[in-house]
C-alpha cells in the first residue's frame, strides 16, 4: 500500500523531533519543515538530495546546528524519502499491471448502472454542479497558466523555503537600521565644522542607480534619482515594488554617488517597541538630533577647558551667541588655545544653523501638533502604545529638520486631527521631503512632485497626486495612439506584401514595402501595458426589519472606579449619554482624536463591550462584517488561505471556498501555500474574501485603508459603494471617507454628535483647534522655563 502524505508527514515528524529538539527550532517550525518536505517529495520533482538541499539544510544552517546534528537529520530524511520513493514506484508498477488485466473484463450486469451514472455526470456538468468538473477545470487552468519549467519550479520552491525559514527564525523584533541609529529614527550625516570647503549644493542628481534584493531580484535598474532642493516628492507604486527599500538604501548610504554632505533622515513605517529607552517623550525628541547632541557635548568639553584656571564658571543660561562673544572677548588671554577657539566658533555657528537656542519650543510645538498633551510630553516612552511611539519617531524627524527627510507612511498611526496638522506643517518644510503614502488626500495637500516606481523605473511628474493622474492618463492615451497608428500602418503594408508577393510586375514595390516594414519594426514604439483593474463585490444579504442597531443613553468607561474605590462621576466617563442608530441605509464616518472612544463605540455596537448604563438594541439575526488595518495579520500565516477560511467558515466546502478565493485572484498554488509566502496585497485580498463570504448586513471598517495599496483601496471603496447595507467607518483618510460615507459624526470629550457641514468645514475647524493647543503648549513650556 502506498504511503499517504499524512503518513509521510508523521514519519518525518517522529524522526526529526528527537534530533532537532536540542536546537532553536521549536515544534511548530519542525512541523512546518516536515510539511514542506512532504509536499516537495509528493510532487516528485528533483532528487532526494535536491529536496534536502532546498528545504532542510537552510533551516539547519539558520540555527547553526552542529555538523553531527545536521548529518543525522539529513540521513534520517534521506532514508525515509528513499523508502517512500521505492514504495511509490512499486505501487505504480502493480497498479499498471492490474489496469492491463482489467482492460479485457466486461461486467454486463452493470451496464444499466453505468448508463445512469454517465447520464447523471452529464447533467451535473451541464448545470455546473459537478465538483469534479470544477476541480478539473481549476487544475487545467493552473496548468495552462503555469509556463514554468520543472527546474524553475524547483528554484521557486527553494526561494519560498528560504523566505519561510527567515520568517520563522526571526524571533526577535530587531531592525538593523534602527539598531544602527541608536534612537527612534534612522539618520545619516557626515560630521562637519561649518568652515570653508563644505559642499553647499543641496540638489541631488544620481544616474545609473540599480537596487536589488539580497536574492538578486532587481527593484530599480539604471534609474535616476533627482531631488530639487525644497521640493516635496511623493513616492508611489504598488506594494512590493521597492519603495521602502529605496528609502533604506538612501539612508544607509548604499547608493554610490549620493551626496554625503547632506543630513538624510528616514522614518520607518513601524518603530520596534524594544528600541526605546527610559526617556520622556520630550527628551527623546530633543536627543534625536544626534549631530546637535554631539556638538553640545563638544562645546561643553572645550568651554570647560577654556574656563579652567579662570575666574568664571560656565553659565548654561547664556545663549549660544552670548557664550561666543564672551569667550572672544578673552581671546588675548588665551592665545595658546586659539585652535580651540576656532573650533568652538565653528561649533557655535553650526548650532545656530541647527536652531539650538529654541530647540525646546520647537519640540513642544511639534508634539502638540501631533496631539501630545503637556502631560504626555513628559511621560516615559515605555508607557506609550505602539501608535504613539510612532508619533514620537515622526516628531523626532520633524524636529531634526534634515536636508532630506524621508517619511514612510507617516499618516498610518495618526488620527485625522494630527494628519491635518501634519499636512499644514509639511507644506512649509524648508528642506527636501520624500514621502511614501497611499493617502491621496495627503499627497494632494503636501506634494509638489510625484515619483512613480514601476517596472523597475522611476518616472517623475510635476504637481500633486491629482495632477499626476491626469498626466499619466494623458501619456497612456498618447502612447496608445502612437502604437495604434504604427500597428495600423504596418498591417496595411503587410496586406499589400501578402497580396502581391507572387506578382512579378510589383516585385519592386513589394521589396520596398518589406524594407519599410523592417525599418518600422526596428523603430517600433513599445506596446502599451494597461494595468488590469481588479474589483470585488460584497454579496448582499437578506433584508432585515428595524431596529438594526439602536444605542440609547449609553455610558461607558474602562475604569469606572477611582483609586480610592469610589465610583467615577458619569461626566468623566469615556462615553456619556450616547444616542446613536444604524440602519441598512446608514453611511456613517466616526471622526475624532485618538483616545476619544471611536473604537470603543464600535466594540459596543459589535457586542464586544457592555455599557455601564443605557441600552443597546441589536437585531438578533444581524451579521456584522468587521475589517481593520490588522485584518490581514489575524490569519495563521503558517496555514494556507484556503485552510484559514475553512477554519473560519466551517460549513463551507473545500471546492466552494477555493472557487470563492479565485474571485479575489487567489488562485492555484497561491490558495494552497502558507500565507507567510503571500505578498501584502494578496493577504489583503484574503481578508476581503473573508469579509465578503460572511454576507454581512452592516460593515464596520476601522482604519481599514491603512497598509493597503491604492488599487486595493479603490477595490474596497467600490465594493462599499455597491454594498446594500449599513456602513460605519473610522478613518483619517479623507478620500476614503468622502467616497464611502454621507454622514459625519464626531466623538469628543465623551459625546457623540453629528457634524453640520462638509468634510472641509470640519478640517478647517480642527485646524484652528489644533493651533490653539499648540500655542497653549508653548506658553506652558515658557512659563515652566521662567
Amino acid at each position: 500500500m502506498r504511503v499517504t502524505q499524512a503518513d509521510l508527514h508523521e514519519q518525518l515528524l517522529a524522526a526529526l523531533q528527537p534530533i532537532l529538539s536540542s536546537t532553536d527550532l521549536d515544534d511548530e517550525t519542525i512541523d512546518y519543515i516536515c510539511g514542506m518536505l512532504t509536499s516537495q517529495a509528493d510532487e516528485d520533482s528533483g532528487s532526494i538530495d535536491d529536496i534536502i538541499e532546498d528545504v532542510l539544510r537552510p533551516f539547519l544552517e539558520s540555527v547553526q546546528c552542529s555538523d553531527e546534528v545536521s548529518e543525522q537529520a539529513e540521513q534520517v530524511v534521506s532514508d525515509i524519502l528513499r523508502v517512500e520513493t521505492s514504495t511509490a514506484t512499486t505501487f505504480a508498477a502493480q497498479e499498471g499491471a492490474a489496469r492491463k488485466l482489467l482492460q479485457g473484463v466486461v461486467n454486463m450486469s452493470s451496464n444499466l448502472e453505468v448508463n445512469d451514472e454517465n447520464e447523471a455526470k452529464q447533467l451535473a456538468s451541464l448545470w455546473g454542479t459537478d465538483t469534479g468538473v470544477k476541480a478539473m477545470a481549476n487544475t487545467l487552468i493552473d496548468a495552462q497558466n503555469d509556463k514554468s519549467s520543472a527546474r524553475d519550479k524547483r528554484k521557486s520552491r527553494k526561494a519560498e523555503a528560504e523566505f519561510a525559514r527567515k520568517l520563522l527564525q526571526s524571533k526577535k523584533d530587531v531592525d538593523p537600521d534602527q539598531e544602527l541609529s541608536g534612537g527612534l529614527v534612522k539618520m545619516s550625516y557626515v560630521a562637519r565644522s561649518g568652515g570653508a570647503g563644505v559642499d553647499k549644493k543641496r540638489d541631488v542628481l544620481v544616474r545609473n542607480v540599480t537596487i536589488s534584493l539580497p536574492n538578486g531580484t532587481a527593484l530599480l535598474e539604471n534609474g535616476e534619482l533627482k531631488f530639487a532642493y525644497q521640493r516635496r516628492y511623493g513616492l508611489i507604486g504598488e506594494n512590493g515594488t521597492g519603495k521602502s527599500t529605496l528609502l533604506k538604501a538612501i539612508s544607509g548610504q548604499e547608493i554610490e554617488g549620493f551626496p554625503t554632505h547632506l543630513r538624510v533622515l528616514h522614518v520607518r513605517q513601524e518603530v520596534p517597541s524594544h528600541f526605546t529607552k527610559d526617556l520622556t517623550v520630550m527628551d527623546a525628541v530633543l536627543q534625536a538630533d544626534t549631530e546637535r547632541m554631539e556638538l553640545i557635548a563638544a562645546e561643553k568639553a572645550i568651554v570647560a577647558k577654556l574656563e579652567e584656571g579662570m575666574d568664571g564658571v560656565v553659565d548654561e543660561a547664556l545663549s549660544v551667541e552670548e557664550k561666543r562673544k564672551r569667550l572672544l572677548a578673552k581671546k588675548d588671554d588665551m592665545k595658546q588655545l586659539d585652535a580651540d577657539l576656532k573650533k568652538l566658533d565653528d561649533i557655535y555657528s553650526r548650532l545656530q544653523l541647527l536652531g539650538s537656542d529654541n530647540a525646546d519650543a520647537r519640540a513642544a510645538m511639534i508634539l502638540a501638533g501631533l496631539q501630545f498633551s503637556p502631560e504626555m510630553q513628559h511621560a516615559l516612552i515605555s508607557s506609550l502604545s505602539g501608535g504613539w511611539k510612532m508619533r514620537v519617531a515622526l516628531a523626532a524627524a520633524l524636529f531634526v529638520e534634515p536636508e532630506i527627510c524621508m517619511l514612510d507612511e507617516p499618516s498610518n498611526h495618526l488620527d485625522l486631527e494630527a494628519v491635518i496638522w501634519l499636512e499644514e506643517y509639511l507644506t512649509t518644510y524648508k528642506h527636501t521631503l520624500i514621502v511614501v503614502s497611499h493617502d491621496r488626500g495627503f499627497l494632494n495637500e503636501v506634494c509638489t512632485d510625484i515619483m512613480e516606481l514601476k517596472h523597475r523605473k522611476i518616472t517623475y511628474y510635476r504637481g500633486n497626486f491629482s495632477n499626476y493622474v491626469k498626466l499619466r492618463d494623458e501619456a497612456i492615451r498618447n502612447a496608445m495612439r502612437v502604437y495604434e497608428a504604427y500597428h495600423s500602418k504596418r498591417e496595411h503594408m503587410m496586406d499589400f506584401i501578402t497580396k502581391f508577393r507572387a506578382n512579378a510586375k510589383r516585385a519592386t514595390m513589394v521589396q520596398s514595402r518589406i524594407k519599410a516594414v523592417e525599418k518600422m519594426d526596428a523603430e517600433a514604439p513599445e506596446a502599451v501595458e494597461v494595468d488590469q483593474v481588479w474589483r470585488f463585490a460584497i454579496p448582499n444579504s437578506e433584508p432585515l426589519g428595524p431596529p438594526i442597531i439602536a444605542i440609547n443613553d449609553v455610558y461607558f468607561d474602562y475604569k469606572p472606579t477611582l483609586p480610592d474605590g469610589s465610583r467615577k462621576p458619569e461626566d468623566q466617563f469615556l462615553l456619556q449619554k450616547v444616542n446613536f442608530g444604524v440602519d441598512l441605509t446608514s453611511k456613517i464616518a466616526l471622526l475624532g482624536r485618538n483616545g476619544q472612544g471611536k473604537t470603543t463605540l464600535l466594540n459596543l455596537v459589535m457586542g464586544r463591550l457592555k455599557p455601564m448604563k443605557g441600552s443597546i438594541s441589536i437585531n438578533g439575526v444581524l451579521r456584522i462584517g468587521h475589517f481593520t488595518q490588522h485584518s490581514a495579520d489575524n490569519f495563521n500565516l503558517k496555514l494556507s488561505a484556503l485552510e484559514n477560511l475553512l477554519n473560519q467558515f466551517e460549513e463551507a466546502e473545500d471546492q466552494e471556498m477555493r472557487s470563492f478565493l479565485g474571485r479575489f485572484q487567489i488562485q492555484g498554488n497561491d490558495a494552497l501555500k502558507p500565507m507567510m509566502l503571500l505578498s501584502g496585497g494578496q493577504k489583503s485580498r484574503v481578508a476581503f474574501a473573508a469579509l465578503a463570504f460572511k454576507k454581512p448586513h452592516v460593515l464596520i471598517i476601522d482604519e481599514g485603508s491603512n497598509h493597503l495599496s491604492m488599487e486595493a483601496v479603490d477595490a474596497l471603496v467600490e465594493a462599499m459603494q455597491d454594498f446594500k447595507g449599513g456602513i460605519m467607518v473610522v478613518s483619517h483618510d479623507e478620500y476614503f471617507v468622502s467616497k464611502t460615507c454621507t454622514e459625519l459624526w464626531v466623538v469628543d470629550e465623551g459625546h457623540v454628535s453629528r457634524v453640520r457641514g462638509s468634510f472641509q468645514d470640519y478640517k478647517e475647524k480642527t485646524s484652528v483647534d489644533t493651533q490653539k493647543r499648540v500655542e497653549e503648549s508653548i506658553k506652558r513650556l515658557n512659563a515652566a522655563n521662567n
Side-chain angles (χ1 to χ4, degrees):
M1 181 177 178
R2 187 176 183 178
V3 179
T4 65
Q5 271 198 337
D7 292 337
L8 179 58
H9 185 278
E10 290 299 324
Q11 289 182 31
L12 290 168
L13 188 61
L16 283 178
Q17 268 185 331
I19 299 172
L20 301 180
S21 59
S22 59
T23 69
D24 291 336
L25 295 171
D26 56 28
D27 290 343
E28 288 186 356
T29 304
I30 296 172
D31 183 72
Y32 179 77
I33 294 171
C34 294
M36 293 196 70
L37 288 169
T38 302
S39 176
Q40 196 153 340
D42 187 67
E43 292 178 8
D44 195 25
S45 59
S47 66
I48 292 174
D49 290 339
D50 287 336
I51 294 173
I52 293 174
E53 172 69 24
D54 293 351
V55 178
L56 181 61
R57 198 161 293 160
F59 285 94
L60 300 180
E61 292 173 355
S62 70
V63 294
Q64 298 180 344
C65 286
S66 65
D67 292 341
E68 182 181 353
V69 171
S70 296
E71 290 174 3
Q72 189 178 359
E74 291 176 12
Q75 186 61 50
V76 166
V77 171
S78 177
D79 292 343
I80 293 175
L81 293 184
R82 289 186 197 286
V83 170
E84 192 280 336
T85 303
S86 175
T87 303
T89 303
T90 303
F91 179 80
Q94 292 173 349
E95 188 179 37
R99 191 180 299 112
K100 289 181 180 179
L101 288 172
L102 290 173
Q103 283 176 350
V105 179
V106 179
N107 187 348
M108 300 299 294
S109 64
S110 63
N111 278 351
L112 184 58
E113 294 178 3
V114 170
N115 288 337
D116 290 341
E117 289 177 5
N118 288 337
E119 184 178 0
K121 288 181 179 179
Q122 290 172 2
L123 288 173
S125 300
L126 177 64
W127 296 107
T129 58
D130 181 17
T131 56
V133 172
K134 290 181 181 178
M136 179 60 71
N138 278 333
T139 302
L140 291 174
I141 290 171
D142 294 344
Q144 180 70 21
N145 292 335
D146 191 357
K147 306 297 184 183
S148 305
S149 65
R151 183 179 181 182
D152 290 338
K153 290 177 181 178
R154 192 155 56 87
K155 285 183 177 180
S156 176
R157 283 193 296 272
K158 184 175 181 179
E160 289 180 359
E162 175 66 11
F163 182 53
R165 175 190 65 77
K166 289 180 179 179
L167 287 176
L168 289 169
Q169 75 150 1
S170 180
K171 301 298 183 183
K172 299 179 180 179
D173 184 19
V174 175
D175 185 332
D177 283 343
Q178 298 286 354
E179 190 171 28
L180 286 172
S181 72
L184 287 168
V185 293
K186 166 65 177 173
M187 183 168 68
S188 61
Y189 70 95
V190 176
R192 54 192 174 178
S193 63
V198 174
D199 194 340
K200 302 292 185 180
K201 294 180 181 177
R202 295 184 177 180
D203 292 342
V204 174
L205 178 58
V206 186
R207 294 188 172 92
N208 300 321
V209 177
T210 297
I211 297 176
S212 302
L213 294 175
N215 63 7
T217 302
L219 301 176
L220 178 64
E221 291 182 338
N222 297 321
E224 187 176 75
L225 296 180
K226 50 182 181 180
F227 307 129
Y229 183 57
Q230 294 184 330
R231 303 289 291 181
R232 300 183 298 275
Y233 295 87
L235 177 57
I236 64 172
E238 293 184 6
N239 288 346
T241 54
K243 301 184 297 296
S244 297
T245 304
L246 174 60
L247 299 190
K248 292 177 190 175
I250 294 174
S251 65
Q253 298 181 336
E254 299 172 10
I255 298 177
E256 185 177 354
F258 199 93
T260 57
H261 65 279
L262 299 176
R263 297 206 311 169
V264 178
L265 185 146
H266 178 202
V267 179
R268 311 287 288 277
Q269 292 189 46
E270 305 289 342
V271 175
S273 59
H274 64 272
F275 278 104
T276 54
K277 304 173 183 178
D278 287 331
L279 294 173
T280 65
V281 170
M282 177 66 75
D283 288 340
V285 172
L286 291 172
Q287 293 183 21
D289 193 340
T290 51
E291 183 185 3
R292 172 178 167 273
M293 298 303 295
E294 289 170 5
L295 290 170
I296 290 175
E299 179 239 358
K300 288 182 177 179
I302 295 175
V303 169
K305 182 179 179 181
L306 294 174
E307 294 284 356
E308 187 177 348
M310 299 178 62
D311 56 353
V313 179
V314 180
D315 188 352
E316 297 295 341
L318 296 176
S319 69
V320 169
E321 184 62 25
E322 289 169 340
K323 288 180 182 180
R324 179 175 178 275
K325 289 180 179 178
R326 179 183 174 190
L327 290 169
L328 286 175
K330 300 179 180 181
K331 184 175 181 180
D332 293 338
D333 300 327
M334 299 184 296
K335 292 181 179 180
Q336 70 279 16
L337 297 178
D338 190 65
D340 285 337
L341 270 175
K342 177 65 172 65
K343 185 176 181 181
L344 191 63
D345 195 52
D346 289 343
I347 290 175
Y348 285 150
S349 298
R350 183 62 184 163
L351 283 173
Q352 279 191 314
L353 191 62
L354 295 178
S356 182
D357 280 345
N358 65 343
D360 288 3
R362 285 195 299 116
M365 180 268 293
I366 292 169
L367 287 170
L370 293 175
Q371 310 301 309
F372 283 88
S373 66
E375 294 75 22
M376 291 182 69
Q377 292 180 26
H378 298 286
L380 292 176
I381 293 183
S382 56
S383 67
L384 302 179
S385 66
W388 284 101
K389 287 176 183 174
M390 191 64 230
R391 293 195 192 202
V392 178
L394 179 57
L398 300 179
F399 170 77
V400 172
E401 290 188 341
E403 281 86 356
I404 298 180
C405 182
M406 302 185 296
L407 307 179
D408 199 344
E409 298 289 358
S411 63
N412 271 0
H413 296 279
L414 304 182
D415 50 35
L416 183 59
E417 286 70 11
V419 170
I420 292 171
W421 177 86
L422 181 61
E423 289 175 352
E424 294 179 353
Y425 185 88
L426 292 179
T427 55
T428 61
Y429 190 70
K430 59 185 181 181
H431 301 300
T432 303
L433 177 71
I434 305 170
V435 58
V436 173
S437 178
H438 292 125
D439 187 333
R440 291 170 175 80
F442 186 83
L443 293 173
N444 275 335
E445 292 290 337
V446 172
C447 296
T448 59
D449 300 81
I450 296 295
M451 304 164 53
E452 183 182 33
L453 180 55
K454 184 177 181 181
H455 300 321
R456 300 181 295 282
K457 296 179 181 178
I458 295 180
T459 306
Y460 294 83
Y461 299 85
R462 293 299 290 265
N464 61 14
F465 183 81
S466 294
N467 195 57
Y468 147 77
V469 172
K470 294 178 184 177
L471 293 174
R472 179 202 61 189
D473 292 348
E474 182 63 28
I476 291 174
R477 285 193 293 269
N478 290 337
M480 290 181 70
R481 282 194 288 266
V482 170
Y483 184 79
E484 287 170 359
Y486 151 78
H487 186 73
S488 176
K489 185 176 181 180
R490 186 185 189 280
E491 195 174 53
H492 178 72
M493 296 176 74
M494 288 302 299
D495 287 343
F496 181 89
I497 293 169
T498 303
K499 184 175 181 180
F500 297 106
R501 185 183 294 274
N503 190 324
K505 294 181 180 180
R506 304 201 180 190
T508 303
M509 296 178 66
V510 169
Q511 288 300 317
S512 175
R513 295 288 198 283
I514 291 174
K515 290 180 180 179
V517 169
E518 289 175 350
K519 184 178 180 181
M520 286 176 59
D521 289 347
E523 302 171 352
E526 292 184 5
V528 180
E529 293 184 12
V530 180
D531 294 333
Q532 184 180 0
V533 178
W534 174 77
R535 295 293 181 263
F536 74 97
I538 301 173
N540 295 318
S541 56
E542 70 281 3
L544 294 179
I548 305 301
I549 301 172
I551 300 178
N552 301 308
D553 296 332
V554 164
Y555 288 79
F556 180 83
D557 198 275
Y558 290 101
K559 297 180 179 179
T561 305
L562 296 174
D564 60 4
S566 61
R567 184 175 175 80
K568 181 185 292 186
E570 291 181 350
D571 60 3
Q572 297 180 18
F573 275 24
L574 178 64
L575 294 175
Q576 308 161 24
K577 201 174 184 180
V578 176
N579 289 282
F580 197 70
V582 180
D583 57 37
L584 297 185
T585 62
S586 299
K587 313 292 180 186
I588 298 169
L590 293 177
L591 309 176
R593 289 172 291 136
N594 282 1
Q596 293 299 305
K598 302 187 297 294
T599 299
T600 300
L601 181 57
L602 296 184
N603 285 329
L604 285 166
V605 168
M606 291 185 288
R608 297 178 178 179
L609 296 173
K610 301 297 181 184
M612 305 292 181
K613 184 179 177 182
S615 64
I616 300 178
S617 302
I618 300 177
N619 192 300
V621 295
L622 178 69
R623 291 191 301 276
I624 295 177
H626 185 214
F627 186 85
T628 76
Q629 59 181 314
H630 304 296
S631 288
D633 301 324
N634 291 335
F635 297 109
N636 183 341
L637 298 184
K638 296 180 183 179
L639 299 180
S640 67
L642 182 63
E643 290 170 321
N644 271 291
L645 264 62
L646 288 175
N647 289 343
Q648 189 172 343
F649 302 99
E650 297 179 357
E651 73 284 357
E653 295 293 333
D654 185 292
Q655 190 56 46
E656 174 191 13
M657 188 60 74
R658 186 170 180 178
S659 298
F660 193 79
L661 280 168
R663 301 183 196 174
F664 297 81
Q665 293 188 340
I666 305 297
Q667 300 166 332
N669 291 332
D670 287 340
L672 304 176
K673 69 170 68 168
M675 283 190 64
M676 67 173 63
L677 301 180
L678 298 181
S679 67
Q682 288 174 317
K683 291 175 187 173
S684 297
R685 292 181 181 186
V686 177
F688 289 155
L691 178 71
F693 195 83
K694 194 173 184 178
K695 293 184 179 179
H697 299 94
V698 173
L699 289 178
I700 292 182
I701 312 294
D702 191 354
E703 295 292 1
S705 62
N706 278 8
H707 306 299
L708 294 182
S709 66
M710 289 183 179
E711 293 74 16
V713 171
D714 286 337
L716 180 58
V717 165
E718 290 200 17
M720 293 174 65
Q721 289 175 337
D722 295 336
F723 176 64
K724 307 301 182 185
I727 291 175
M728 291 183 68
V729 169
V730 171
S731 177
H732 63 261
D733 188 331
E734 179 179 354
Y735 172 83
F736 187 75
V737 169
S738 62
K739 290 291 185 180
T740 58
C741 299
T742 57
E743 299 179 36
L744 304 179
W745 290 70
V746 178
V747 183
D748 187 50
E749 301 295 337
H751 302 288
V752 181
S753 56
R754 186 168 181 176
V755 175
R756 303 300 176 185
S758 65
F759 196 97
Q760 187 62 34
D761 295 332
Y762 176 76
K763 285 183 65 174
E764 292 173 359
K765 179 181 181 302
T766 297
S767 179
V768 172
D769 293 342
T770 299
Q771 186 58 38
K772 290 180 180 178
R773 280 195 293 272
V774 170
E775 293 172 357
E776 182 62 29
S777 179
I778 295 175
K779 286 181 182 178
R780 290 193 182 190
L781 178 64
N782 292 335
N785 291 338
N786 294 332

